[in-house]
Every structure is written in structure tokens, then in C-alpha cells.
Amino acid sequence: DAGVIQSPRHEVTEMGQEVTLRCKPISGHDYLFWYRQTMMRGLELLIYFNNNVPIDDSGMPEDRFSAKMPNASFSTLKIQPSEPRDSAVYFCASSPGISPPQFFGPGTRLTVL
Amino acid sequence: AQTVTQSQPEMSVQEAETVTLSCTYDTSESDYYLFWYKQPPSRQMILVIRQEAYKQQNATENRFSVNFQKAAKSFSLKISDSQLGDAAMYFCASNSNSGYALNFGKGTSLLVTP
């Protein structure tokens, strides 16, 4: 069984550039979550989807961040324009429901120079 | 809102010994869930164990077990017969049926010495 797949694993970009992170959830999972991990703030939720519909985006830092889920097997997190303070590890996680646990992808380490 | 507190930034244990990682939480929910995740240097977040708050019995997964004290809002993780591969960052987390996002503690870094 394939787990949650994220790409790229590492991304280095320059300030002002557009960055797109990708996620493929586990097949059959109806919930998809995007988290960000930094030393200062730890792990925090950015947004989550249920059946491809965004439910809670209150964690999205600002308008530079956007997320989409065009179908059940694919989601993107886009940062435009990127800034050095966006440097972090971005995790995607999926779950078949609310009470079951969330399963995490390997993360994307983003560095914005 | 739920908050999770891990008061031990670092812990150390000798191989084959037992170690307990502490976690306390605060919630106004009556129906919630608690988790321990492990993050090794590869940074992959791996589920170690989970506990439903309505269950009184403490969860156990092989060498990992929890001590769930609902009244005290405490959820500690015990690792028995520690192995070198247990060295990692351990995060305590919670969510509920009204707040699906996981709320994480700051983590405890576990060092396992030979």
C-alpha cells in the first residue's frame, strides 16, 4: 500500500518566485490536511479538505498561500510570491475519517533564499 | 480550542531500559482523541499509538504503551526495552470531532544510548 506521496522532497527557490507543492493522499481517504513545521512555531495546520472541499483554511498565513484539491487523488499548495519566512517543512496528511489517525507524507523541505 | 504541552524538551535512555515521555493537554471537548507521533531524522511523521478519550483502557502497541489519566488531562508514553531505533523526536497531539486538525505539542527529543 502506497502511503501519502509528496513532491518535491526538497525545493530551493528565490524570494518572489512561485512555489507549488504537491500531494497524493492514500486512496479512499476523504480528508486531506496541509501542515507546516518550523522551529519557532512547531507543527501547525494550514488547511484541510473533506471530499475535495476546503473546510478550514484559517491557518493559511496570508493571501500569498493558496491550496486546491481538484480531485480525490491530488492536492496542491501554492505560495506566490514566496518569502524567506516561508522556509519550512510542509507536510500533507490524509485520513479516512475524523476519529482514525492522520497518516503523513514524507514532507517537502522548502528553502526560500 | 485544544492545547498540548510537552514539558520535557529532551530525554535520554539507555538501550533496553524504559522511558516515559510526558504530555498534558487542555480541552473543553467531551469527545476527543490523543496521539503520539514519532519523527526520526528522516522527518517522516510516524504514528506510534492513539487513544480515544471515551476508552478507559490504556492503549498498547508492542513496546509502546500510554498512561491516560483523563481527570488530570495527562497522556504519557512509555517505551519499554528501548532500542537505538527509538531515537527520534516524539510529538503528542490531540484532535476532536469538532476540531479535526491535530494540535501538536512542541515535542520531546529522545536520545537512546548503547
Side-chain angles (χ1 to χ4, degrees):
Chain A
D1 251 358
V4 176
I5 299 172
Q6 290 187 249
S7 65
R9 293 293 307 275
H10 304 273
E11 177 79 31
V12 180
T13 190
E14 292 188 346
M15 183 174 64
Q17 296 298 306
E18 177 180 295
V19 175
T20 299
L21 311 182
R22 297 172 177 80
C23 175
K24 177 179 169 55
I26 294 172
S27 178
H29 283 195
D30 294 332
Y31 289 85
L32 184 140
F33 304 81
W34 283 100
Y35 291 91
R36 179 171 68 175
Q37 184 178 31
T38 61
M39 290 295 293
M40 291 295 292
R41 299 174 67 90
L43 279 149
E44 53 183 348
L45 177 80
L46 298 176
I47 186 172
Y48 82 89
F49 296 82
N50 179 23
N51 291 324
N52 313 338
V53 177
I55 302 300
D56 183 357
D57 65 354
S58 60
M60 296 286 263
E62 48 200 273
D63 291 345
R64 298 184 297 107
F65 285 69
S66 63
K68 294 182 180 179
M69 192 164 185
N71 57 60
S73 59
F74 184 64
S75 177
T76 59
L77 178 67
K78 185 179 292 187
I79 309 172
Q80 167 63 20
S82 58
E83 297 182 2
R85 60 191 168 122
D86 302 330
S87 297
V89 179
Y90 290 81
F91 286 101
C92 176
S94 72
S95 174
I98 291 308
S99 59
Q102 296 173 22
F103 296 91
F104 283 72
T108 295
R109 179 177 292 280
L110 173 65
T111 302
V112 183
L113 303 175
Chain B
Q2 296 182 323
T3 58
V4 177
T5 302
Q6 294 178 251
S7 59
Q8 306 154 315
E10 294 180 350
M11 291 284 285
S12 180
V13 63
Q14 277 195 318
E15 211 174 351
E17 296 297 308
T18 295
V19 65
T20 298
L21 308 184
S22 301
C23 172
T24 57
Y25 62 93
D26 190 16
T27 181
S28 57
E29 304 285 343
S30 58
D31 196 11
Y32 56 92
Y33 310 89
L34 299 164
F35 308 87
W36 280 98
Y37 281 87
K38 169 185 177 182
Q39 187 177 39
S42 66
R43 79 167 179 254
Q44 176 79 49
M45 293 290 288
I46 302 166
L47 177 69
V48 175
I49 200 166
R50 71 164 175 158
Q51 175 86 40
E52 291 89 344
Y54 62 85
K55 290 186 177 179
Q56 293 187 344
Q57 186 173 5
N58 289 325
T60 299
E61 288 287 343
N62 301 315
R63 297 183 295 106
F64 299 87
S65 61
V66 298
N67 183 6
F68 174 45
Q69 301 289 326
K70 192 171 183 177
K73 295 184 178 176
S74 171
F75 182 62
S76 60
L77 175 69
K78 185 171 83 171
I79 306 174
S80 304
D81 185 25
S82 297
Q83 301 175 358
L84 294 177
D86 295 334
M89 198 76 169
Y90 286 81
F91 292 94
C92 181
S94 71
N95 71 353
S96 71
N97 285 337
S98 64
Y100 302 155
L102 284 169
N103 298 284
F104 287 91
K106 294 295 185 185
T108 296
S109 178
L110 178 65
L111 175 66
V112 182
T113 57

